[in-house]
């Protein structure tokens, strides 16, 4: 059965693949992203899809954009928040400009969009909210402190939404990808167990449809995360992970 779905962050990476696969499956999709040119490259279909240029850091515009999308779709069944940015940060660099953008896109934009969705689904007493977080939020790694913090905040926010909305019959899903081949990871060294964004999107859609609420992509990263979280802090700070 065709569903009505919003995908925020649909111009590249996992978000683009999620939007593409949903459209190809015959669902009606409202796709949002900053890069309008890339949005136009998404598949076309017989369904009435919506492609909207949007900057998630323009928080005041989110309620209006959400309402217009719901009206255009004729309702809403699911929303995916996949917008994200990870700036390269030097070993001795502390850039407030870079850090604020990561917080704004990865966390605050997520809150703005998913709060709107939560209020809508709460009234409807049905719906699915899916956030693309990251394994990076499971521990404070030295390499990119604020990216880690933004994803940790996103994961905690999603957990809180899940606890709040479960009694209303609303499913809230936290997705934690490991290393995925996307523009965000392009050029990075030492990547292991790398899979494509297309493969990641396929896994995510399958698990969401199966009712999973908190999972890693690929699944083997769950064991890695468990080990990392069990390492005592005084040892972890000496590791280059």
């Amino acid at each position: 059965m065709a569903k009505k779905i919003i995908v925020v962050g649909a111009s590249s990476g996992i978000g683009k693949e999620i939007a593409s696969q949903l459209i190809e499956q015959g669902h009606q999709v409202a796709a949002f992203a900053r890069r309008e040119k890339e949005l136009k490259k998404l598949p076309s279909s017989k369904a009435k899809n919506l492609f909207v240029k949007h900057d998630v850091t323009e928080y005041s515009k989110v309620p209006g954009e959400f309402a217009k999308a719901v009206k255009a779709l004729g309702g809403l069944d699911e929303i995916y928040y996949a917008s994200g940015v990870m700036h390269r940060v030097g070993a001795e660099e502390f850039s407030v400009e870079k850090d604020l953008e990561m917080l704004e896109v990865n966390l605050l934009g997520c809150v703005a969009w998913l709060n709107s969705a939560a209020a809508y689904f709460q009234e409807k007493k049905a719906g699915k909210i899916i956030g693309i977080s990251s394994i990076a939020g499971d521990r404070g790694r030295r390499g990119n402190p604020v990216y880690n913090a933004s994803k940790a905040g996103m994961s905690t926010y999603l957990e809180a939404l899940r606890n709040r909305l479960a009694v209303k019959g609303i499913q809230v899903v936290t997705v934690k990808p490991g290393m995925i081949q996307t523009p965000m990871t392009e050029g990075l060294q030492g990547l292991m167990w790398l899979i494509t964004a297309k493969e990641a999107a396929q896994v995510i859609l399958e698990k969401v449809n199966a009712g999973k609420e908190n999972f890693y992509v690929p699944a083997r990263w769950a064991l890695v995360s468990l080990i990392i979280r069990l390492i005592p802090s005084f040892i972890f700070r000496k590791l280059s992970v």
Side-chain angles (χ1 to χ4, degrees):
M1 181 178 176
K3 293 179 288 189
K4 298 165 183 179
I5 302 171
I6 289 175
V7 180
V8 183
S11 63
S12 67
I14 294 175
K16 179 180 180 179
E17 289 298 333
I18 286 173
S20 296
Q21 291 178 33
L22 289 172
I23 291 170
E24 288 169 350
Q25 290 170 11
H27 300 296
Q28 195 175 344
V29 176
F32 290 82
R34 279 187 289 189
R35 291 176 291 176
E36 188 175 21
K37 184 177 179 180
E38 295 302 315
L39 279 176
K40 291 179 179 178
K41 295 179 182 179
L42 290 171
S44 58
S45 72
K46 294 180 181 179
K48 185 182 178 182
N49 297 306
L50 188 67
F51 305 104
V52 184
K53 182 180 179 181
H54 171 72
D55 185 339
V56 298
T57 65
E58 295 180 339
Y59 317 118
S60 63
K61 294 183 180 179
V62 172
E65 294 289 358
F66 178 83
K68 285 190 289 186
V70 172
K71 183 176 180 180
L73 293 172
L76 187 66
D77 300 302
E78 298 177 1
I79 183 170
Y80 289 77
Y81 189 88
S83 288
V85 61
M86 182 178 71
H87 288 301
R88 307 295 165 85
V89 178
E92 298 183 0
E93 179 183 10
F94 294 92
S95 169
V96 174
E97 183 179 1
K98 289 180 180 179
D99 289 347
L100 287 179
E101 185 178 2
M102 287 189 282
L103 286 170
E104 288 179 333
V105 174
N106 301 349
L107 179 57
L108 300 185
C110 172
V111 171
W113 269 96
L114 299 190
N115 271 3
S116 291
Y120 174 83
F121 288 143
Q122 181 173 248
E123 192 72 23
K124 184 182 174 184
K125 294 184 172 57
K128 287 186 181 182
I129 293 172
I130 302 97
I132 311 301
S133 185
S134 172
I135 190 175
D138 287 357
R139 199 76 196 258
R141 297 172 175 81
R142 66 172 68 178
N144 201 327
V146 175
Y147 179 76
N148 296 340
S150 70
K151 291 300 187 177
M154 182 181 182
S155 295
T156 300
Y157 166 70
L158 290 167
E159 181 182 17
L161 274 189
R162 184 180 308 120
N163 294 338
R164 174 180 281 204
L165 297 174
V167 295
K168 305 285 188 179
I170 300 160
Q171 183 181 354
V172 179
V173 181
T174 305
V175 182
K176 296 181 179 181
M179 296 178 184
I180 311 297
Q181 187 178 344
T182 67
M184 188 183 291
T185 59
E186 187 174 351
L188 293 179
Q189 301 299 314
L191 301 181
M192 59 185 285
W193 297 340
L194 195 66
I195 66 171
T196 66
K198 182 177 181 178
E199 291 170 323
Q202 288 172 340
V203 172
I204 290 166
L205 294 176
E206 287 171 3
K207 288 185 178 289
V208 168
N209 289 333
K212 303 295 184 182
E213 292 187 336
N214 195 342
F215 57 87
Y216 293 82
V217 180
R220 54 182 171 265
W221 284 104
L223 178 59
V224 175
S225 175
L226 176 62
I227 294 169
I228 288 175
R229 284 182 281 121
L230 289 174
I231 298 173
S233 183
F234 72 93
I235 295 176
F236 190 75
R237 74 185 59 166
K238 297 178 182 180
L239 304 177
S240 297
V241 296

